[in-house]
Amino acid sequence: PKTVVAYWYSFAVTMSSSVGEPQWAWLGLLKWSLSYSDGTRPSDESMKEMSAEDKKFLEEVMKNGIVDEAERMKEILQTMAQSLDKYQSRNGDDVNLDELLDLLQELRDIVEQIDYARAFVSLKGLPFLLGCLQQRDAIPQPLRQACLGIWSTLCQNNPPVQLALLELGSIKILSDLFFLETDSKYKAKLVQAMSANIRNHATAEEVFTQVEQSTELIKQGLLLTEANGYTLPTRTLFFLRALVTSDNSSRSRVRQFANCIGYVSDNYLSSSALTNPELRELALELLTTVLEQKLSVNIFLENGRKQRIAGLGVRSITALRQLTGEEREFATMELELWEKLIVQLARVEADEEGNSEPLLLAAGEPLPETLPQ
């Protein structure tokens, strides 16, 4: 419901207002949590006498060397808290960065399991991740990048974690950070984390669309430039596709990102030094699905775009069908996607709506009646 989305958007803006400010309250929260909770049960139960089942498990651990992942996760966070104290006091030279990166990779491996991901939440690990990301001047980028990797892993197919991050204002915080960074690889990590936090979560999707800079973020992430490389456009395109073609999408959402969709259709479909087969396939999937859903397709009917895509499609299909051997096998997916897109383009009609302004179509060559054989 819109009232729920409005609440979360307002909440996100409030929670994210401290981006860039030297706030370390999250570190104290992490230390308190580690002192009073084991991450697997409420803190008031942590001191109860061990059950027979727990004793048996502990005996197995001692006998066979089984690692208690929950306890290991707590140990890693305790080590991180100690090191972050040094970064807070500007004594980071004493920190072994490689060792911390190894620990964060181990932590990421642990939270791949949904149950441990939720235990991480109970240990107040989410404010820890958000806090690290916002301390751009104090905490080295490799550590912040590792935190983004953990973030993406935590959110995969895990709605409770996505909601917990939403409650912390994560979407606005990440989008603000995107515009503060200049390193395209780090920005790609931010987009990946944002995408994982939002995808397949109806409320999160709507909150993102209401963030003021959401459209500009997608636009900048999609830019095909040497500075952006391949990774940032690829992850942004993946995010855009998930956002506008999800089961929760709407005509207004597709129209909000229509210029981004238009940019993809104009720049991602041809072979060039700035594109690759993965980008082309993602672009073809996006455009075909938008046409199939028919929420809004007017962007394809503007400025002769339909005719340009069709002409490029015919040429691409002809070239792909002439390939042989491994090259033909490698191009099978792209060929199938082109054929689907051409079929959908041939059927496209302007959006039906009572009070819409008349749509002016630019002149162009007609679509071919048949595909090249």
Side-chain angles (χ1 to χ4, degrees):
K2 290 187 177 180
T3 53
V4 175
V5 173
Y7 166 77
W8 283 120
Y9 174 69
S10 175
F11 190 87
V13 172
T14 301
M15 291 298 295
S16 63
S17 61
S18 62
V19 170
E21 296 177 7
Q23 307 246 349
W24 291 81
W26 51 271
L27 183 54
L29 179 62
L30 175 65
K31 293 176 184 177
W32 179 88
S33 176
L34 293 173
S35 298
Y36 291 98
S37 174
D38 63 3
T40 60
R41 67 186 75 183
S43 58
D44 58 357
E45 296 180 13
S46 298
M47 299 304 292
K48 289 184 179 180
E49 184 177 351
M50 199 178 300
S51 67
E53 183 180 355
D54 288 341
K55 288 179 180 178
K56 182 178 180 181
F57 174 77
L58 182 58
E59 290 172 359
E60 288 293 321
V61 171
M62 300 300 292
K63 180 179 179 181
N64 300 319
I66 299 173
V67 177
D68 183 344
E69 300 282 23
E71 185 60 31
R72 180 58 183 154
M73 183 164 55
K74 183 177 177 181
E75 291 172 356
I76 292 172
L77 288 173
Q78 287 172 331
T79 301
M80 289 299 303
Q82 293 168 2
S83 299
L84 291 172
D85 271 335
K86 295 180 180 179
Y87 284 120
Q88 182 183 10
S89 58
R90 306 296 176 176
N91 292 321
D93 293 341
D94 298 333
V95 176
N96 187 327
L97 181 59
D98 290 336
E99 179 181 318
L100 292 185
L101 291 174
D102 288 341
L103 288 175
L104 288 177
Q105 181 57 54
E106 183 181 351
L107 179 60
R108 183 174 182 176
D109 293 339
I110 293 172
V111 299
E112 281 184 347
Q113 300 181 55
I114 288 180
D115 289 340
Y116 288 127
R118 295 176 184 177
F120 180 85
V121 173
S122 73
L123 287 170
K124 307 304 178 186
L126 299 184
F128 152 71
L129 292 179
L130 276 171
C132 284
L133 295 177
Q134 292 179 86
Q135 296 301 326
R136 298 173 61 249
D137 295 332
I139 298 178
Q141 180 173 307
L143 279 182
R144 290 184 281 121
Q145 191 162 312
C147 288
L148 285 170
I150 294 171
W151 184 310
S152 299
T153 301
L154 283 165
C155 291
Q156 295 296 329
N157 303 311
N158 207 334
V161 175
Q162 289 175 286
L163 179 60
L165 281 165
L166 183 63
E167 292 173 343
L168 292 172
S170 60
I171 295 174
K172 184 67 164 55
I173 290 172
L174 288 184
S175 60
D176 285 346
L177 289 171
F178 178 89
F179 292 100
L180 294 174
E181 298 293 340
T182 56
D183 183 341
S184 66
K185 292 182 179 179
Y186 187 77
K187 293 178 82 166
K189 283 284 189 181
L190 282 166
V191 171
Q192 182 184 34
M194 203 179 316
S195 175
N197 195 168
I198 293 168
R199 289 195 321 272
N200 300 318
H201 194 288
T203 303
E205 289 177 8
E206 284 301 316
V207 169
F208 176 75
T209 62
Q210 293 191 30
V211 171
E212 182 179 359
Q213 64 265 41
S214 59
T215 307
E216 183 63 25
L217 186 153
I218 297 295
K219 188 187 301 183
Q220 290 192 21
L222 286 174
L223 287 176
L224 291 175
T225 63
E226 291 185 6
N228 275 356
Y230 290 122
T231 306
L232 178 56
T234 300
R235 288 181 176 167
T236 306
L237 179 56
F238 181 84
F239 182 23
L240 174 64
R241 185 190 65 173
L243 190 64
V244 300
T245 66
S246 80
D247 293 339
N248 309 305
S249 191
S250 62
R251 171 167 290 187
S252 62
R253 183 184 300 182
V254 176
R255 288 183 172 178
Q256 178 179 348
F257 296 97
N259 288 336
C260 297
I261 296 170
Y263 180 84
V264 170
S265 68
D266 295 342
N267 296 277
Y268 276 63
L269 299 181
S270 60
S271 298
S272 73
L274 295 174
T275 63
N276 59 25
E278 181 184 5
L279 277 173
R280 287 196 298 276
E281 289 176 11
L282 280 172
L284 289 165
E285 288 175 351
L286 165 66
L287 301 179
T288 301
T289 307
V290 169
L291 286 167
E292 288 174 343
Q293 288 184 324
K294 297 182 175 65
L295 293 173
S296 178
V297 296
N298 286 351
I299 191 66
F300 295 95
L301 301 174
E302 296 175 357
N303 305 317
R305 186 170 282 120
K306 173 181 175 179
Q307 288 75 22
R308 286 200 304 275
I309 296 174
L312 177 58
V314 170
R315 295 191 296 273
S316 298
I317 289 171
T318 301
L320 292 170
R321 285 180 174 173
Q322 291 175 351
L323 298 175
T324 59
E326 291 185 357
E327 286 186 334
R328 175 63 182 267
E329 184 177 352
F330 182 72
T332 298
M333 178 60 72
E334 185 175 348
L335 175 59
E336 291 178 357
L337 290 169
W338 265 119
E339 291 171 343
K340 289 180 180 179
L341 180 58
I342 291 294
V343 170
Q344 290 299 322
L345 273 176
R347 299 171 179 170
V348 68
E349 296 179 356
D351 299 347
E352 295 182 5
E353 49 194 340
N355 299 319
S356 62
E357 296 180 359
L359 181 67
L360 301 178
L361 302 183
E365 297 179 0
L367 284 173
E369 295 184 359
T370 59
L371 297 177
Q373 301 299 318

